[in-house]
Amino acid sequence: LHKGRSQPIAASILMKILYAARMARFDLLRATCKLACYTTKWDEKCDKRLFRLVCYINSTLSRRQVGWIGDTPNNVSPNLYTDADFAGCERTERSTSGVHLALEGPNSRFPITGISKRQSAVSNSTPEAEFVAGHFGCRYVLLPALDIWGAVAPGGLVAFFHEDKQAMIRVVETGRNPTMRHLGRTHGVSIAWLHERITLANDILLKY
C-alpha cells in the first residue's frame, strides 16, 4: 500500500476533531477513533476517509448537542447505554464498543459521556461483543458516575443500564454462560462479577 499524503499531519487533525467530538459531537467519535488507530499505517484509503470526515463536519456545523435539566437531583438518575458492532474493523476483525451515559428524569436529559473504543481481542459472536461493551461501560463509566452522583443526591439512587441483546441480559441475570467461558482469558471480562454487581446490589437496574 502507498503511504497517504496526509500522514505527517493526520494525528494532529484527528486529535483536534476528537476534542470537539468528546465535548459536543458524539456522532464523530466512531469515525475519528477508527481513523486514529491507523496513524502508524496510514494509506491512501485513510486519506479519503479523513477527507470525507472533514467534509461531513463542514456540512453539519449547525448541529449542536443539547441537554436540559428540569427536575430536582433526587428525580434524576444516570442512564447507561452500551452497544457493539460485530467485527466492525475490516482489517483486524475486532469489534468496537460504544458507550453513552446521560442523566435522565421526567423532564431531564443531559449527556455526560460518549465513548467509542475498539476491543482488545476478536469476538466470536455478536453477544460476545455486546458483553464486552456492557462490561466496559458498567465498570469504567457507570460505577464512577454512581459514586459522584451519590454525593450529589444521596439516598435511594437507582441507575439504569440499557441493553438491546436479550442473550446478554439473561447471562447477567443467571450468572451462567457455558458457551463463552473464554471471555475472562481473551477479553478480561468477569461474568460472575457483573452478575453479582447488578443482581445482588440494588443500585443498578438492567433494562431491555
Side-chain angles (χ1 to χ4, degrees):
L1 294 175
H2 296 288
K3 189 174 293 186
R5 294 179 61 184
S6 59
Q7 184 179 29
I9 59 173
S12 177
I13 296 174
L14 289 172
M15 291 306 104
K16 288 180 174 64
I17 297 175
L18 188 59
Y19 177 80
R22 286 174 171 171
M23 293 298 294
R25 288 291 299 271
F26 291 169
D27 58 312
L28 303 177
L29 283 172
R30 176 70 173 87
T32 307
C33 292
K34 183 175 182 178
L35 274 174
C37 295
Y38 295 103
T39 53
T40 58
K41 41 187 178 290
W42 199 268
D43 57 18
E44 293 178 347
K45 185 180 293 186
C46 295
D47 278 340
K48 296 178 181 179
R49 288 176 174 173
L50 179 59
F51 177 73
R52 185 174 183 181
L53 174 61
V54 174
C55 288
Y56 170 74
I57 296 172
N58 185 60
S59 63
T60 57
L61 292 176
S62 60
R63 294 192 179 182
R64 297 291 184 271
Q65 181 171 260
V66 179
W68 61 91
I69 297 293
D71 303 292
T72 61
N74 290 330
N75 292 325
V76 179
S77 60
N79 282 253
L80 178 71
Y81 301 84
T82 64
D83 203 353
D85 65 336
F86 177 57
C89 180
E90 67 276 6
R91 294 187 182 180
T92 63
E93 295 185 354
R94 285 191 279 178
S95 306
T96 300
S97 299
V99 178
H100 177 65
L101 178 70
L103 295 178
E104 298 180 12
N107 303 291
S108 305
R109 184 178 293 268
F110 198 92
I112 301 296
T113 303
I115 299 175
S116 176
K117 183 179 183 296
R118 191 167 67 176
Q119 296 179 4
S120 58
V122 176
S123 297
N124 295 316
S125 61
T126 300
E128 182 177 338
E130 293 279 349
F131 211 103
V132 175
H135 184 273
F136 172 78
C138 183
R139 182 174 182 180
Y140 295 103
V141 178
L142 184 58
L143 292 186
L146 280 176
D147 292 337
I148 297 174
W149 197 245
V152 176
L157 174 67
V158 176
F160 295 93
F161 182 4
H162 301 267
E163 174 57 43
D164 63 348
K165 285 291 180 294
Q166 291 180 330
M168 177 196 165
I169 294 176
R170 185 60 179 168
V171 168
V172 173
E173 291 175 345
T174 61
R176 299 177 181 178
N177 190 11
T179 61
M180 291 186 284
R181 296 176 180 175
H182 56 278
L183 277 176
R185 298 190 302 271
T186 57
H187 293 281
V189 172
S190 174
I191 297 174
W193 174 84
L194 198 60
H195 165 68
E196 294 174 0
R197 184 62 187 83
I198 292 180
T199 58
L200 300 183
N202 296 321
D203 55 351
I204 299 178
L205 180 61
L206 187 60
K207 297 181 66 177
Y208 175 68

